[in-house]
Amino acid sequence: MESLLSLENLFTLLMLIMLQAVLGFDNLLYISIESSRVVEQRQKIVRLWGIGLAIALRLVLMVIVLGLINSLTQPLFGAHLDGVFEASFTFHSLVSILGGGFIMWTATKEIMHLLAVDHVENLGNGHTKSVPVAIATIVFMNLIFSFDSLLSAIALTHVVWVIATAIIISGVMMIVLADRVSAFLKQNRMFEVIGLFILFIVGVLLITEGGHLAHMHLFGFEVVAMSKASFYFVIFVMVIVSTVQTRYRNKLEKLRAEERAEAPQTS
């Protein structure tokens, strides 16, 4: 028991909790946006069941990954087209590429929907999902998001209880924060748009990482994984630009309203 509760294991647990929290940001964002597509009375239930089932399946996935860790990095098949395309796909690379493509498709579809509606108030109308579909989608995407974090955790330790505890704690944190994030996005629609673009970039991140793992070359150029530092820097810039733009627009609208109020009334 002492070895299980050793200082090394406790320190690793703390590191994993922090890692899960950082990597879980995009996951939480996706859960909040996806649950908003359900009728309002059922959104909280969708988030609760979606996260709960996802955490349970993530624990199962942890056991599977620990048992097949070597197989996941072995080439499954390759593709070669002289001077155009070359790759050697592994299970890990396929999960990253297909998952990233699905996230990009989902984000693009939602962005197009935002552009199609006539009024912001009608965003939820005519675009609802059933509860089972929303829960299944959240669970599926949670597993895709968790794949890399699981491999990162296993790289730090093979102690099952440490990884499992970090997964459970991160799940509880997501359950606690999900309602707050969803409420914030509902009250600040512009951040929902930013969130969708962030998800799009997450898709790019996963696809480039999968291409890098597959040693992919396009037209003779190697596909390089997008770094996490670049990813968070892009998010930071997007949020800053959007915030400044909104404040500037509000200032202009206020000045124009004052000018209209001061303008002489013509009979």
Side-chain angles (χ1 to χ4, degrees):
M1 186 68 179
E2 288 185 14
S3 60
L4 291 177
L5 297 177
S6 65
L7 185 61
E8 179 183 357
N9 284 340
L10 293 176
F11 179 75
T12 303
L13 174 62
L14 179 62
M15 292 292 295
L16 288 181
I17 293 173
M18 295 174 60
L19 176 67
Q20 294 285 336
V22 172
L23 296 180
F25 165 75
D26 44 14
N27 195 353
L28 185 60
L29 185 63
Y30 184 88
I31 291 170
S32 300
I33 293 176
E34 186 66 26
S35 65
S36 68
R37 305 303 177 234
V38 180
V39 292
E40 187 171 357
Q41 296 82 355
R42 309 289 288 173
Q43 290 178 8
K44 186 171 183 177
I45 294 176
V46 167
R47 289 190 290 268
L48 181 62
W49 277 96
I51 296 173
L53 289 174
I55 295 305
L57 290 178
R58 191 183 291 190
L59 292 173
V60 174
L61 182 63
M62 174 197 67
V63 176
I64 295 174
V65 170
L66 280 170
L68 301 176
I69 185 66
N70 293 327
S71 303
L72 296 177
T73 57
Q74 296 300 316
L76 297 176
F77 63 92
H80 182 79
L81 189 60
D82 270 341
V84 179
F85 181 80
E86 182 180 346
S88 179
F89 295 101
T90 64
F91 183 81
H92 186 188
S93 66
L94 287 174
V95 169
S96 296
I97 292 172
L98 295 178
F102 182 80
I103 293 172
M104 290 180 66
W105 174 78
T106 301
T108 302
K109 181 183 67 172
E110 295 297 336
I111 291 170
M112 296 304 295
H113 171 68
L114 292 179
L115 295 176
V117 296
D118 295 326
H119 301 285
V120 175
E121 291 80 5
N122 296 331
L123 279 174
N125 299 336
H127 193 62
T128 58
K129 289 185 176 182
S130 67
V131 171
V133 170
I135 291 176
T137 306
I138 288 174
V139 171
F140 172 70
M141 292 310 303
N142 192 287
L143 292 177
I144 291 177
F145 280 123
S146 66
F147 200 80
D148 278 343
S149 62
L150 269 177
L151 292 178
S152 300
I154 292 172
L156 291 175
T157 182
H158 283 189
V159 181
V160 174
W161 80 264
V162 172
I163 303 175
T165 303
I167 290 173
I168 293 171
I169 291 176
S170 68
V172 172
M173 291 170 61
M174 281 197 292
I175 291 174
V176 171
L177 294 174
D179 290 345
R180 291 177 173 84
V181 173
S182 297
F184 177 81
L185 291 178
K186 188 177 296 183
Q187 294 171 2
N188 302 271
R189 288 291 186 178
M190 73 165 187
F191 285 106
E192 182 175 2
V193 177
I194 295 175
L196 289 171
F197 277 100
I198 290 174
L199 286 179
F200 187 88
I201 298 173
V202 170
V204 175
L205 174 70
L206 288 174
I207 288 178
T208 57
E209 184 174 349
H212 176 69
L213 292 171
H215 305 289
M216 187 181 295
H217 287 74
L218 291 174
F219 301 102
F221 295 97
E222 180 183 2
V223 175
V224 180
M226 182 181 183
S227 69
K228 294 294 193 300
S230 299
F231 171 70
Y232 289 115
F233 179 74
V234 169
I235 292 176
F236 174 76
V237 171
M238 286 176 60
V239 172
I240 293 297
V241 169
S242 180
T243 302
V244 171
Q245 184 182 33
T246 301
R247 293 187 63 180
Y248 182 66
R249 184 178 66 245
N250 292 340
K251 183 177 181 180
L252 285 179
E253 290 176 353
K254 183 179 178 181
L255 289 174
R256 288 168 181 165
E258 291 174 352
E259 289 175 358
R260 286 194 296 267
E262 293 174 358
Q265 298 293 329
T266 57
S267 56

